[in-house]
Structure formats: C-alpha cells, structure tokens
C-alpha cells in the first residue's frame, strides 16, 4: 500500500462539509435536466467538474462562492435534496469516513415553493437512508447566512429538529461587513436552548471575527480560523514566542478549529499551503480537525486533505489518529455516542491498519520506506 491507500483505509471524521458544495458533477447535470435548469456552463461532467474547480481556485472567497448558484439551483425539490444527501453519504463511505457532520442553508432551497421545514426533512431522509445502507454516522448542521436577517428563524428551525438528526447551528457566508454579532439574538436563543454552535470565522476576515464568534455568540467550534495566527507572535524561525489573549483562551478552553486546507488556499485565506497556520496550531496542541469544506469546488476528499497535511506538515500515523479522535470528541452528537465511535470504530480501525502495515514491513524485501514513505509511525 502507498500512503494514499493507507489513509483511505483509516476511519475518518469530518465536521465541516457543505452539502451543496459536494455534489457529483453528473448529479448536477441530471438534476438540472430534471428541473429544467438552463444555466449550467456545460453538460459534460468532466468539463463541469473542471469549471467548478477553476472558478473556486481564484484566491477570493466571493469568487469561490459563485459556484453555489448552480448547485443550489438544482437542489430545489425534496427529491433532489434527498438524492444529494444520499449520494454524499455514499461518497463518505467510499472515502473511509465513519462519521460526518454536513451542513446547508435551508433558505437557498425554497425558490420553487418548498418550506424551510421541507428542505430539512428531505435532507434528513437521504442521510438516514444511507446510514442504514452503509453505517456511516451523521449529524446535520443548519446554516444561517451573514447577509440575511432570518438567522433567528433558522436557529429555531435547528432546535425544532434536534431530536431528528440536526445537531447544531452555523453562521456562514461572506465575512466582510457582516460580523457575527449582528445575529446575536439567534445565538442567544441557541444558548438558552442548550444547543450547539459553530461559526465560520477568521477565514476572510481578521481575528476580531473569531473573537466575536466566541465571546459575543458563544461558539463551541470555529470554522477555518486561519486568521488566528494574527494573535500569535512568532520569531524568525517560526517558533511561538507568545500567544495573545484570544489564542491562549482558545488553546486553554480546547475550542475545536475546523481546518480546511485546500479550501483556504482556493479562497485566498492563505497564499500557499506551507504557510497555512495548521502546522503551528497542531504543533502547539490546539484542537485542530481536518475537513473538506466543499468537495466539488476544491476537488477534494478527506483522504486528499489528510494526504495534504502529511505532505506539508509531516503528520505521522499516530498524529492522524490523534486528530481523528479529537474530531470525534468535538462532534455535536451526544457524549456516549462519541465514545462509541472512538472505542468501537476509530481505535480498532487504526489498530487494524497499523497491524497490516507492520506485517507488510516484515515481508522479505519490504521496509517502512517502501511501504508508506511519507507516513511514519
């Protein structure tokens, strides 16, 4: 096995994945045909995949988000939402993901007359069907949008479906000009209901966005947080000299950070992967998790994201296991369920692969470097 094959076999946990950012190109084309959607740039699946990736890879979040006009455009019926959710779970299974928290903004799927509740029911139906088929666990997160005024309504919707598979509330969209504190009523509602909050923050705006998300809005997790590096003083060698108050608070309180390496490169949150703060944050024991964000737009998967982390930040086998367990600990499902995944799925899964790799190394003519040159124990 090479390194990529090893990583694909490992049980993985994904906490930050957008449902409308992960469609299969062929599905986009078929749903467009079914719904008479005429705006796709091409009906060739390979060309369409390339179009989404090139459009997203412009180093600008606003440009990155333009592709969602088409994915959301073909997700305007119960059947389309159910299909996309169902296929997403199948893709997770094929990528070795044992648990995923996917998210979407219901408001973007009501153009053809669906009620907000209809969109949630349809997505949950697709997720549950695939869970029964393949055993991939899931939670659904509902997104309010920064530039809209109905975040409280979406927060209430999330709480209403908490017993049916919705596990949290998120705030997404363009950060500049739309600080999270503008929606503080939605977050106060979620807090009063003892529910879960994650917020996109520090992706396209500074550390102030992260501070607001935590201290004004009570975020339990932070999506991206690339600008947290602004609150860390480094010396010429890149070693930490001092943490600012915000970074120290996040470290001390073990607030999980939903890191999306390739997406951050594509949106311009970082100029190149080797400059991504992930390496520093992981080295300094922040609770970092590895995620896909938008699989279609970034042409990625959990295997590819972890492989990227191995390549650029020298993660070892045991590091991947630690990050995976931390991700499971940081999920929004109940405590006993998290423990079940850790001790029934994740730890045994890593041990099985570890034993297989050890047996390969013992074979005549084989050694660790030949078997998995980048992924050391």
């Amino acid at each position: 096995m090479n390194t990529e094959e090893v990583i694909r076999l490992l049980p993985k946990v994904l906490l930050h994945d957008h449902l409308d950012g992960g469609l299969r190109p062929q599905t986009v084309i078929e749903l467009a045909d079914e719904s008479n959607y005429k705006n796709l740039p091409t009906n060739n699946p390979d060309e369409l995949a390339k179009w989404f990736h090139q459009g997203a890879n412009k180093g600008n979040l606003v440009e990155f988000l333009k592709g969602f006009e088409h994915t959301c455009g073909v997700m305007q019926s119960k059947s389309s939402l159910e299909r996309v959710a169902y296929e997403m779970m199948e893709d997770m299974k094929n990528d070795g993901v044992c648990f995923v928290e996917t998210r979407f903004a219901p408001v973007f799927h009501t153009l053809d007359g669906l009620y907000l509740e209809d969109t949630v029911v349809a997505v949950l139906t697709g997720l549950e069907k695939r869970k029964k088929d393949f055993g991939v666990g899931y939670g659904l997160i509902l997104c309010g949008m920064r530039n809209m005024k109905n975040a409280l309504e979406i927060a209430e919707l999330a709480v209403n479906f908490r017993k049916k598979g919705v596990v949290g509330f998120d705030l997404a969209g363009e950060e500049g000009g739309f600080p999270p504190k503008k929606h503080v009523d939605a977050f106060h509602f979620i807090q009063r209901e003892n529910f879960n909050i994650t917020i996109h923050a520090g992706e396209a705006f500074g550390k102030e966005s992260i501070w607001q998300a935590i201290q004004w809005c009570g975020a339990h997790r932070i999506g991206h947080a690339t600008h947290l590096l602004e609150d860390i003083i480094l010396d010429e060698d890149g070693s930490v000299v001092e943490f600012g108050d915000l970074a120290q608070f996040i470290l001390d309180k073990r607030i999980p950070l939903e890191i999306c390496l390739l997406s951050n490169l594509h949106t311009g949150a970082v100029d190149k992967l080797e400059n991504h703060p992930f390496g520093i944050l992981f080295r300094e024991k922040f609770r970092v998790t590895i995620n896909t964000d938008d699989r279609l737009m970034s042409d990625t998967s959990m295997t590819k994201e972890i492989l990227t982390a191995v390549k650029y930040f020298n993660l070892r086998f045991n590091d991947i296991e630690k990050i995976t367990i931390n991700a499971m600990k940081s999920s929004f499902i109940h405590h006993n369920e998290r423990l079940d995944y850790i001790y029934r799925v994740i730890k045994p899964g890593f041990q099985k692969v570890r034993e297989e790799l050890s047996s390969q190394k013992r074979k005549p003519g084989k050694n660790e470097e030949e078997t998995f040159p980048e992924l050391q124990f």
Side-chain angles (χ1 to χ4, degrees):
M1 290 186 289
N2 60 32
T3 302
E4 182 176 352
E5 291 170 338
V6 171
I7 293 172
R8 192 174 302 278
L9 285 175
L10 296 173
K12 293 173 281 292
V13 175
L14 174 52
L15 300 181
H16 191 120
D17 184 81
H18 289 267
L19 186 67
D20 48 354
L23 284 72
R24 301 170 182 172
Q26 183 62 44
T27 297
V28 176
I29 292 168
E30 291 176 8
L31 291 179
D33 183 60
E34 291 174 9
S35 62
N36 202 33
Y37 181 84
K38 302 294 186 181
N39 297 332
L40 292 184
T42 175
N43 287 322
N44 180 289
D46 294 332
E47 292 178 359
L48 186 60
K50 185 177 180 180
W51 181 90
F52 275 111
H53 183 49
Q54 288 180 338
N57 193 7
K58 292 182 178 180
N60 182 283
L61 180 59
V62 175
E63 291 293 323
F64 184 93
L65 295 174
K66 286 185 177 180
F68 288 88
E69 176 184 344
H70 298 302
T71 57
C72 291
V74 302
M75 296 169 64
Q76 296 297 324
S77 66
K78 293 179 182 179
S79 61
S80 63
L81 288 163
E82 183 177 328
R83 174 179 173 176
V84 170
Y86 184 89
E87 290 181 351
M88 183 277 294
M89 292 286 276
E90 186 173 26
D91 293 341
M92 292 296 116
K93 176 64 176 180
N94 293 336
D95 193 30
V97 174
C98 64
F99 179 83
V100 56
E101 286 182 1
T102 190
R103 62 187 74 188
F104 84 117
V107 69
F108 289 143
H109 305 277
T110 58
L111 299 179
D112 288 348
L114 290 182
Y115 294 108
L116 294 172
E117 291 81 0
D118 295 331
T119 69
V120 180
V121 170
V123 170
L124 287 172
T125 300
L127 295 175
E128 185 61 26
K129 280 186 178 180
R130 184 50 74 182
K131 179 181 180 180
K132 291 179 179 178
D133 287 346
F134 282 126
V136 177
Y138 71 87
L140 180 62
I141 296 171
L142 302 188
C143 301
M145 300 306 298
R146 281 183 146 83
N147 62 331
M148 299 183 182
K149 297 182 179 180
N150 67 340
L152 177 58
E153 183 179 9
I154 303 302
E156 293 171 342
L157 184 68
V159 170
N160 288 342
F161 279 89
R162 69 188 303 173
K163 300 293 186 181
K164 299 178 181 179
V166 173
V167 296
F169 173 69
D170 174 34
L171 189 68
E174 171 60 31
E175 282 188 83
F178 303 101
K181 70 177 183 179
K182 284 191 173 183
H183 304 281
V184 71
D185 56 340
F187 294 110
H188 284 176
F189 170 78
I190 292 289
Q191 290 172 336
R192 290 194 300 272
E193 293 294 330
N194 302 307
F195 206 38
N196 303 306
I197 298 169
T198 180
I199 301 177
H200 285 70
E203 178 186 16
F205 203 73
K207 65 179 182 180
E208 296 83 1
S209 180
I210 303 171
W211 175 78
Q212 279 193 26
I214 295 171
Q215 305 302 358
W216 276 75
C217 305
H220 303 111
R221 296 196 319 234
I222 296 294
H224 300 291
T226 50
H227 282 271
L228 184 60
L229 200 59
E230 296 173 5
D231 204 48
I232 301 175
I233 300 175
L234 306 174
D235 62 19
E236 295 179 354
D237 298 325
S239 299
V240 172
V241 175
E242 184 180 2
F243 293 121
D245 291 340
L246 175 63
Q248 189 69 61
F249 183 86
I250 290 171
L251 177 62
D252 292 345
K253 297 300 182 183
R254 317 305 299 142
I255 296 175
L257 306 176
E258 303 162 357
I259 304 296
C260 308
L261 294 170
L262 293 176
S263 173
N264 290 160
L265 177 67
H266 298 155
T267 62
V270 296
D271 59 347
K272 49 187 178 180
L273 284 168
E274 49 264 44
N275 291 337
H276 198 288
F278 173 87
I280 294 170
L281 296 173
F282 177 70
R283 186 176 69 234
E284 296 298 326
K285 305 297 189 294
F286 285 79
R287 184 174 279 191
V288 293
T289 65
I290 296 175
N291 304 275
T292 55
D293 203 14
D294 300 291
R295 287 168 289 115
L296 172 61
M297 282 66 174
S298 289
D299 184 25
T300 194
S301 65
M302 275 298 288
T303 296
K304 189 172 181 179
E305 294 289 335
I306 294 174
L307 190 62
T308 299
V310 169
K311 177 179 179 180
Y312 286 93
F313 305 107
N314 302 312
L315 291 193
R316 295 172 177 264
F317 188 94
N318 292 340
D319 295 330
I320 299 171
E321 182 176 23
K322 179 180 179 180
I323 290 171
T324 302
I325 291 173
N326 277 342
M328 198 66 243
K329 289 179 179 179
S330 304
S331 72
F332 285 157
I333 60 175
H334 296 311
H335 177 67
N336 61 326
E337 296 174 301
R338 285 178 255 157
L339 291 180
D340 182 62
Y341 277 102
I342 290 170
Y343 291 103
R344 180 179 57 84
V345 180
I346 297 172
K347 283 181 173 289
F350 272 82
Q351 184 59 28
K352 180 179 180 180
V353 176
R354 186 181 284 110
E355 291 172 357
E356 173 64 20
L357 293 175
S358 296
S359 69
Q360 285 194 24
K361 286 194 295 180
R362 290 193 295 268
K363 291 179 180 178
K366 291 285 185 179
N367 58 48
E368 187 172 312
E369 287 69 31
E370 292 174 337
T371 307
F372 48 110
E374 297 169 290
L375 194 59
Q376 307 297 307
F377 281 106

